[in-house]
Amino acid sequence: MSVQLDAQGNLRHLLTTEGLPRELLTRILDTAGSFSGVIGKSVKKVPLLRGRTIINLFFEPSTRTRTTFELAAQRLSADVLNIDVASSSTSKGESLLDMLRNLEAMQCDAFVVRHADSGAAEFIARHAAPGVAVVNAGDGRHAHPTQALLDAFTIRHEKGALEPLTIAIVGDILHSRVARSQIHALRGLGAGEIRAIAPRTLQPRGIEQLGVRLYEDMDAGLEGADVVIMLRLQRERMRGALLPSEGEFFSRYGLTEQRLERTHPQAIVMHPGPVNRGVELDPRVADGPRSVILQQVTNGIAVRMAVMSMVLGGQGEAAPASIEEVAG
Amino acid sequence: MSVQLDAQGNLRHLLTTEGLPRELLTRILDTAGSFSGVIGKSVKKVPLLRGRTIINLFFEPSTRTRTTFELAAQRLSADVLNIDVASSSTSKGESLLDMLRNLEAMQCDAFVVRHADSGAAEFIARHAAPGVAVVNAGDGRHAHPTQALLDAFTIRHEKGALEPLTIAIVGDILHSRVARSQIHALRGLGAGEIRAIAPRTLQPRGIEQLGVRLYEDMDAGLEGADVVIMLRLQRERMRGALLPSEGEFFSRYGLTEQRLERTHPQAIVMHPGPVNRGVELDPRVADGPRSVILQQVTNGIAVRMAVMSMVLGGQGEAAPASIEEVAG
Amino acid sequence: MSVQLDAQGNLRHLLTTEGLPRELLTRILDTAGSFSGVIGKSVKKVPLLRGRTIINLFFEPSTRTRTTFELAAQRLSADVLNIDVASSSTSKGESLLDMLRNLEAMQCDAFVVRHADSGAAEFIARHAAPGVAVVNAGDGRHAHPTQALLDAFTIRHEKGALEPLTIAIVGDILHSRVARSQIHALRGLGAGEIRAIAPRTLQPRGIEQLGVRLYEDMDAGLEGADVVIMLRLQRERMRGALLPSEGEFFSRYGLTEQRLERTHPQAIVMHPGPVNRGVELDPRVADGPRSVILQQVTNGIAVRMAVMSMVLGGQGEAAPASIEEVAG
């Protein structure tokens, strides 16, 4: 989707990880790496986006995701404004465009968009004024690119190179924008082998064409994996009776200590959060030594800082590291 | 209303455009002009109100208006706090005063007040502590001075001097705080001729005494106009059966390309937003080359920056323009 | 409760005034005194907590209290994030801990916690990561330490030393976290005599063991008092028929000008606000010359700035006073 790159191949919007060149994906992770040092300090702030205005435009409520974007923006010294749009007022495409035109006229620099409809972020990006950037914070079942990038960052940080790794994604692949974005990001970064483990009813058609190996049996799918990514069971996204019960889901696809033994001895366990303990993960695994779930959260801030600074003009230069620059 | 000026004639509160001296109105627009340059930059921020606290005190919800004031305050480097007051807790005048006293005791510098009752902003200003400024962001059917000032700013910017202009205001003049404030501001700035175009049921009594020419027939009223200001149809403010239907309103008072031909060939079209397309304006006019509706939005930030900086002590000095000052 | 002090006796969390050493209580008030000067200026801001992130984690809504903490954080140049947690999602202790772990992983520095359950702030502090501070903004009927400290600050500021003073606390002592925290703070600071005046049904058992003299008769309790602290009648906290009516409460425990004559001629009158006029206080007393109710509000900002700066690492150094430092 070329709308997200400019003529020089720089990131103009972040709508999806699909089709992003490997060099650009790597640049995002490298930039995030430089911010990671900043946010570990007591003064967790750089003046990169001072005087820029970022609007969190949430058509679907998500305190958790909004918080991560708001923190990332604050740490870049941007001005942030939260606008929660009642879902009722978004039924007419025309009034959505009117709202965008108005916010653009107020000289806003970027929109972070969360929407229940697939394609909403791209729609907004296609209609945005030339200087305005759009970051997709989750659109329907389509994409959640910052989540996928923070996952890729976490894997690279914990494991080094992605090429030799076998990565298993487990759960409701069919309805998951997170899984979709992860597969594109990991594929794009050259991950060795990607496996999708799901009951037949939750396997999307044609996923093998993305180079993913499908497993219905969890034990087989976990065999030798270096990374296990558990998806969150989105109860509200499940249509009809695709699964008999949470209990049965756990017994077939829940990650227990016993199942974890099938993976590589240094395998890491990931989850986008919040974890439904006892549904996707045994609490002992969620809180165990293999879990990097909280590191994902920490890395999420750095990755969102990287994305926002890049779409707003800084294409991957390192973050200022000295306290003098920070105090600017 | 002398409460809004101090002994030196400086702006202490902004409650209404009624009675503001021409020199002061001009100073507000000139100050806004200097901010206009600042907000076009990528670093849209000046340190003028650093360390000052502005409270958006909204007794009536309006995300759109609150957003413009919040952005203006951020770009002046003020600290902003949004307080949405449930309408229920405002029934007793006493508890409103208690709330004010408390917020003043927290050393707040200014209140931006939106209220469903006419006169609420003035009531608050009359009871405010000496150092505290009040800006009216719309009170009942009474006044909306920042809207009127941004309209005047836009007209002056697009057309130059106001003296030779014929300005037509169209729609529900009777219930419109915007129209009322526009008439006072434009009159005060010396606009050539002001016309009010409305069905007889929506014409306020005595408006001719403000020097306004009344028209019931839109074609006649538009004849040769340099500026056409369309009002928003406030359905909720219409009492009873003053109008038969939106369709009939449009057929009599909607601005179409055909009707626009009666105006001056360089006439501009304005609307305070959000536009009800097909009710007040044909979409082709709203989005057409004569429309300056989005420029109004942009100018609204600069005008609100001007007003807030002036009531908080800077009486019209130019905004700092250099990046060094901004980075301060 | 040693959880709130570190090995050097510095303030790590502020959960309760109970058991705080006199030296530390004094240091908090002294630090607040240095901030008091800052917030009286037009630039009410110091860069002490620049780049630090403070989360207002309110499980119980309180616009008023949240506002005071938000202003205090802004004036320390911290980044603030407000999270209003629906009471429904807090029923499971596990998910509360998950939320905390997540916010900590986002590198937040402090939580300001308001909760309807006694002990909630301490629970959070006990489970907080090493670098994260917790400030109790009111937990059930247990404690409200910043309110008590601002009261102590106000008394010391108005009256000088606390040792010679007789301080009467009047009202629903039984259900009041404010009274409990006041008694511990004033005791800890060496106040001369503390009296609790309440109907028998609202006297907590064992309060005499805290060195408090109990009175059922208000006239007797006020005799010669230097300070009268009226509590707010928390109607929602009253269980069953402990009091016949607000009218009867006022006739027995309302503070009138006549009753005030029994106190010391320079006695001051305090109330945590908002005042129920005609229930706890005759309006003439609330707004009269003895009332320091609005000074309490002003002092509340300085005290909260002191507490936040101390738990985040600055143990009582004076606030920067020069404009140069502020402009940093």
Side-chain angles (χ1 to χ4, degrees), chain A residues 141-179:
Chain A
R141 288 162 54 181
H142 173 242
H144 196 347
T146 57
Q147 178 67 46
L149 289 167
L150 74 89
D151 293 332
F153 180 91
T154 303
I155 295 170
R156 196 180 77 163
H157 186 261
E158 299 290 330
K159 290 286 171 197
L162 285 154
E163 288 84 348
L165 301 180
T166 296
I167 300 167
I169 305 173
V170 185
D172 178 6
I173 311 280
L174 180 63
H175 299 96
S176 174
R177 57 192 176 198
V178 170

Side-chain angles (χ1 to χ4, degrees), chain C residues 196-216:
Chain C
I197 305 175
R200 200 162 297 272
T201 50
L202 297 177
Q203 292 180 355
R205 284 202 276 177
I207 195 172
E208 299 94 334
Q209 291 155 25
L210 297 173
V212 175
R213 290 182 64 177
L214 269 171
Y215 292 81
E216 193 180 358

Side-chain angles (χ1 to χ4, degrees), chain A residues 62-72, chain C residues 81 83 103 106:
Chain A
S62 171
T63 302
R64 186 187 169 98
T65 301
R66 186 173 53 66
T67 299
T68 61
F69 276 100
E70 192 169 353
L71 284 175
Chain C
L81 220 105
I83 300 186
L103 291 170
M106 294 173 199

Side-chain angles (χ1 to χ4, degrees), chain A residues 50-53 55 79-83 94 98 101-103 105-109 328, chain B residues 39 42-45 63-64 67-68 70-71 74-75 275 277 294 297-298 301 326-327:
Chain A
R50 190 182 166 82
R52 315 296 288 274
T53 301
I55 309 266
D79 290 318
V80 193
L81 221 105
N82 294 315
I83 299 187
E94 191 185 30
D98 272 347
R101 291 285 163 269
N102 267 281
L103 291 170
M106 294 174 199
Q107 316 277 4
C108 298
D109 298 286
Chain B
I39 61 177
S42 70
V43 176
K44 289 174 290 291
K45 216 176 167 92
T63 301
R64 185 187 168 98
T67 299
T68 61
E70 192 169 352
L71 284 174
Q74 285 178 345
R75 288 171 188 175
V275 175
R277 285 159 198 273
L294 292 174
V297 176
T298 302
I301 305 289
V326 170

Side-chain angles (χ1 to χ4, degrees), chain A residues 99-116:
Chain A
M99 185 181 28
L100 288 176
R101 291 285 163 269
N102 267 281
L103 291 170
E104 287 169 0
M106 294 174 199
Q107 316 277 4
C108 298
D109 298 286
F111 297 117
V112 175
V113 177
R114 172 89 158 206
H115 203 293

Side-chain angles (χ1 to χ4, degrees), chain A residues 52-292:
Chain A
R52 315 296 288 274
T53 301
I54 296 172
I55 309 266
N56 286 326
L57 202 56
F58 274 52
F59 297 85
E60 185 184 59
S62 171
T63 302
R64 186 187 169 98
T65 301
R66 186 173 53 66
T67 299
T68 61
F69 276 100
E70 192 169 353
L71 284 175
Q74 285 178 344
R75 289 173 186 173
L76 292 163
S77 304
D79 290 318
V80 193
L81 221 105
N82 294 315
I83 299 187
D84 291 315
V85 188
S87 48
S88 62
S89 68
T90 65
S91 49
K92 294 168 292 179
E94 191 185 30
S95 72
L96 169 60
L97 285 183
D98 272 347
M99 185 181 28
L100 288 176
R101 291 285 163 269
N102 267 281
L103 291 170
E104 287 169 0
M106 294 174 199
Q107 316 277 4
C108 298
D109 298 286
F111 297 117
V112 175
V113 177
R114 172 89 158 206
H115 203 293
D117 294 344
S118 302
E122 188 189 340
F123 175 83
I124 290 172
R126 288 197 180 280
H127 290 87
V132 174
V134 177
V135 175
N136 185 0
D139 64 327
R141 288 162 54 181
H142 173 242
H144 196 347
T146 57
Q147 178 67 46
L149 289 167
L150 74 89
D151 293 332
F153 180 91
T154 303
I155 295 170
R156 196 180 77 163
H157 186 261
E158 299 290 330
K159 290 286 171 197
L162 285 154
E163 288 84 348
L165 301 180
T166 296
I167 300 167
I169 305 173
V170 185
D172 178 6
I173 311 280
L174 180 63
H175 299 96
S176 174
R177 57 192 176 198
V178 170
R180 197 175 305 271
S181 287
Q182 284 166 340
I183 290 166
H184 289 300
L186 295 171
R187 188 87 299 165
L189 285 159
E193 181 175 319
I194 303 176
R195 301 176 183 171
I197 306 175
R200 199 162 296 271
T201 50
L202 297 177
Q203 292 179 355
R205 283 202 277 178
I207 194 172
E208 299 93 333
Q209 289 155 25
L210 298 173
V212 175
R213 291 182 62 178
L214 268 172
Y215 291 82
E216 194 180 357
D217 179 63
M218 191 173 187
D219 289 337
L222 290 182
E223 200 66 47
D226 300 288
V227 176
V228 185
I229 303 179
M230 303 301 297
L231 299 174
R232 180 172 162 83
L233 206 66
Q234 299 282 10
R235 293 155 190 165
E236 67 279 15
R237 289 224 172 72
M238 312 270 292
R239 307 285 148 86
L242 298 175
L243 272 181
S245 74
E246 287 184 358
E248 176 160 347
F249 183 87
F250 182 72
S251 78
R252 287 182 63 198
Y253 295 100
L255 190 60
T256 59
E257 291 185 317
Q258 195 184 1
R259 280 210 172 102
L260 200 53
E261 286 177 14
R262 297 190 167 264
T263 64
H264 186 281
Q266 266 89 48
I268 55 173
V269 174
M270 300 171 67
H271 187 287
V275 175
N276 294 308
R277 285 159 198 272
V279 179
E280 301 117 18
L281 288 160
D282 185 308
R284 279 166 296 188
V285 175
D287 304 324
R290 306 288 200 81
S291 166
V292 295

